[in-house]
Amino acid sequence: MNSITVSEEVASALSQRRPVVALESTIISHGMPYPRNVETALAVEETIRQGGATPATIAVLQGCFKAGLTQDEIAYLGKQGTAVAKCSRRDLPFVIAGKRDGATTVAGTMIGAALAGIKVFVTGGIGGVHRGGAETFDISADLQELGKTNTAVVCAGVKSILDIGLTLEYLETLGVPVIGFRTDYLPGFYTRNSGFPVDFRMDSAAEIADLLRAKQTLGLSGGVLIANPIPEKDSFPKEEIDRIIGEALDEASMRKIKGKKVTPFLLEKIAAFSGGRSLEANIKLVLNNAQAGAEIASAYTRLADSDSN
Ligand code: PSU
Ligand code: MN
């Protein structure tokens, strides 16, 4: 049994050392409503192609862990929505052994990307330490994965449904470099600035590629978080989104939402309370990350090329 099945297109890009960008699938099934989820997933793939890289959406389909889905497979996951298992590290063996479908989270996708040999992965937002995490222990498995699996993750920062400060502390403990792409401050997903400084600011994809190579040379395991702010025109005023997030958090605690349901529940409530505007912002920021991810993957393969010459 192969650990992961890589599509022909992705396999040939990898073997010719052309840039490849991994994409997650929980954002399709649990992060956005149908049909916008499918439209977005396909538009993200197209943006990556425009940027000169090959997209590799990762998921488990009937027990087969795949890197590089067809458009039909993406549409299937989007239509199934939350009927598909949200698949993080602990879920992978169960879903694969039982020949089930699984939409991979950031953690699950990092594992798939590493198995396939893909270095750069683009998403919207990562999971983190939830507010009240010191008592509930609700800390996303995404953070532990960033601590051990060697995949660079491009995201739009950390949204304030989470405790941003504790999430950064946790990443520091795990030794994960947090890079601000053309910013000194960690973006807040819907907003450009969470108020928390990043560890390192980098203004070009080439600089980031150099950092990835240095990390590789040192043999340091674990990921790198690249935080790319939402474009100004698509961002939310901070006070407004903070109020909406507060209402969503109140509703989650009133309804006693727990475990893996928390993040999808909050995303859906924020979309409802913002009259759908948070969804539009979410789509724009993922597309923006796709562009950055393609640039970074391209810069990294150029470095690898010059190393081997
Ligand atoms: N944040 C988003 N959209 C998403 C997610 C996070 O804005 O779809 C998904 C990602 O797949 C992430 C997961 O890995 O939620 C985190 O879930 P949890 O907090 O249960 O670990
Ligand atoms: Mn959780």
Side-chain angles (χ1 to χ4, degrees), residues 152 177 179-184 198-216 224 226 292 295-303:
I179 298 169
F181 192 41
R182 300 172 184 139
T183 176
D184 294 311
V198 288
D199 303 329
F200 315 108
R201 174 189 177 127
M202 294 194 158
D203 289 338
S204 72
E207 263 178 282
I208 296 175
D210 281 336
L211 179 140
L212 297 178
R213 179 169 62 173
K215 181 170 155 292
Q216 175 122 343
V224 170
I226 300 151
E295 269 179 57
I296 294 163
S298 302
Y300 190 74
T301 50
R302 277 196 294 276
L303 267 189

Side-chain angles (χ1 to χ4, degrees), residues 211-235:
L211 179 140
L212 297 178
R213 179 169 62 173
K215 181 170 155 292
Q216 175 122 343
T217 306
L218 291 167
L220 295 178
S221 57
V224 170
L225 194 65
I226 300 151
N228 183 35
I230 185 172
E232 182 81 58
K233 63 179 188 336
D234 304 315
S235 69

Side-chain angles (χ1 to χ4, degrees), residues 19-28 44 48 53-59 87 103-114 117-127 141-143 145-146 149-156 208 212 223-228 286 288-298 300:
V20 176
V21 174
L23 297 164
E24 64 152 311
S25 43
T26 294
I27 190 175
I28 306 174
V44 166
I48 287 170
T54 302
T57 301
I58 292 181
C87 198
T104 48
T105 62
V106 168
T109 306
M110 286 179 76
I111 294 170
I118 303 169
K119 295 284 177 220
V120 178
F121 160 28
V122 161
T123 185
I126 58 160
D142 292 351
L143 298 184
E145 207 59 51
L146 279 160
T149 300
N150 188 0
T151 312
V153 180
V154 182
C155 70
I208 296 175
L212 297 178
V224 170
L225 194 65
I226 300 151
N228 183 35
V286 181
N288 186 50
N289 291 347
Q291 208 177 331
E295 269 179 57
I296 294 163
S298 302
Y300 190 74

